[in-house]
Amino acid sequence: MVMKKYFVLFLLLLCLLFQAGCSSQKQNPPVEGVVRVCSSMNRNLSEALVEGFANKTGIVVEFDPLVATSLSQRLDLLSASKVDVWMGGSAEEYYMAAERDMLVPYLPRGAANIPPQYMDRDGRWVPLSIDYIALLSNRNNMRKLGIEPPSSWDELLQPVLHNEIVMADLTGGPPYGLITSLWQLRGRDAALQFAGSLRTQQVLYLPTEAKAGYEVYLGNKAVAVMSLRHALALEREHPFLYAAPVRDGNKNMITAVAILKNGQKRKEAERLMEYLLSKEALQIMREYRMNPLADALNDKNKYGDIGTVPSDDLRWMAGEKQALIREWINAK
């Protein structure tokens, strides 16, 4: 009886130890080989990239698309998170994140041959792709108006294009590129003079460039300001549309990636950075019609004549953004 009593007590003790161990594991689950990623890019493309990385390395990826909010709100969200890698932001956005000491410098091997004008000098973010600004025209509308499809900003000021121009709002992408490009190339006074003239054209501003392109597709508007990548895709699908890179003030629109300082998986994050410049990742980008920077550098004729492009002052473009847009809108 005594032996039986001790045996029962021994079993109870084992059970308690086992339960304590399970409870400890629930509170502190193992996270080896897990990297947290958020992305500002197209969700399908982002998921394809992280899936390719996971399949190649065996590292589990916790992925979330980045909520579409203001830049300040996005940076607040990221700085309070434990995300390891942020994909898909613009050079201006990463500049502001670096100013807030949110980024960790890291230069993947695949970035060694990227020219310095496309890179952050401190290696805090790495470019993945590049795009430019285009004017997408409806050829049928142009014939009715009696003009050739425009390929420069100044051609948008033709009286016949009054109430015929559409673009996304001025807070980012090609429309903001229009502001910063002309401001840097022509100077403040000439840029604001152009802004005042463009305002008299009664431009239609929509929430996204996809909506702007759709207006031109329908023939409701004659010309849209868009990214070259999207404009060329629409031209390929619809022969009555015509895409032309802007010649008199284009812009290097860079999409990049960076490691966030608050992340907990630095080695896994570095491996993802390496993967995103690999041949496998570049092929995924091509399949989703994203233009890898490597392709643009290897094929100088890929996009034709993209016109004059300024050497961007990111400090000014990012730090003075709201003031620039306000002056542009109020120009006379």
Side-chain angles (χ1 to χ4, degrees), residues 269-329:
E270 291 175 358
R271 290 189 67 181
L272 177 56
M273 295 284 282
E274 298 286 348
Y275 171 79
L276 290 173
L277 294 182
S278 69
K279 292 180 179 179
E280 297 95 330
L282 295 182
Q283 183 55 38
I284 292 173
M285 292 180 200
R286 296 183 193 107
E287 291 170 359
Y288 283 86
R289 292 183 175 176
M290 185 178 185
N291 304 321
L293 179 59
D295 288 359
L297 298 177
N298 292 333
D299 184 0
K300 299 296 184 182
N301 299 316
K302 183 177 179 64
Y303 307 107
D305 179 15
I306 60 168
T308 306
V309 179
S311 298
D312 287 328
D313 178 352
L314 293 179
R315 177 184 296 274
W316 168 78
M317 289 170 57
E320 302 296 325
K321 185 173 185 176
Q322 297 306 317
L324 294 175
I325 293 174
R326 187 163 52 250
E327 281 199 73
W328 184 273
I329 291 174

Side-chain angles (χ1 to χ4, degrees), residues 27 34 71 170 173 175 178 201 209 211 249 251 267 275 277 303:
Q27 292 175 6
V34 177
L71 174 57
L170 296 170
L178 158 61
Q201 293 290 70
E209 74 169 35
K211 292 181 181 294
K251 174 176 167 53
K267 290 183 178 179
Y275 171 79
L277 294 182
Y303 307 107

Side-chain angles (χ1 to χ4, degrees), residues 77-212:
L77 179 67
L78 288 169
S79 64
S81 75
K82 296 298 181 182
V83 169
D84 298 292
V85 177
W86 170 22
M87 301 191 306
S90 67
E92 298 99 305
E93 291 175 320
Y94 287 115
Y95 175 85
M96 293 301 293
E99 288 291 286
R100 292 175 59 163
D101 196 29
M102 293 170 54
L103 308 182
V104 177
Y106 183 74
L107 188 65
R109 290 185 296 274
N113 296 322
I114 298 178
Q117 64 264 33
Y118 301 108
M119 296 286 293
D120 175 52
R121 64 182 182 182
D122 296 314
R124 295 167 296 186
W125 51 266
V126 176
L128 294 178
S129 73
I130 191 166
D131 208 344
Y132 301 97
I133 307 175
L135 300 178
L136 179 73
S137 299
N138 187 309
R139 296 177 188 268
N140 299 328
N141 290 50
M142 292 298 160
R143 279 195 291 269
K144 293 177 182 178
L145 295 173
I147 61 173
E148 293 296 316
S151 60
S152 70
W153 297 126
D154 286 336
E155 288 176 321
L156 292 183
L157 301 182
Q158 299 175 79
V160 72
L161 287 178
H162 177 264
N163 204 31
E164 292 285 350
I165 304 167
V166 61
M167 67 180 80
D169 65 58
L170 296 170
T171 57
Y176 187 57
L178 158 61
I179 297 174
T180 60
S181 180
L182 290 188
W183 203 299
Q184 291 175 103
L185 290 172
R186 300 186 183 184
R188 175 182 178 277
D189 291 344
L192 292 179
Q193 182 179 3
F194 175 89
S197 299
L198 185 64
R199 186 171 62 178
T200 66
Q201 293 290 70
Q202 296 296 309
V203 176
L204 173 64
Y205 293 96
L206 295 175
T208 66
E209 74 169 35
K211 292 181 181 294

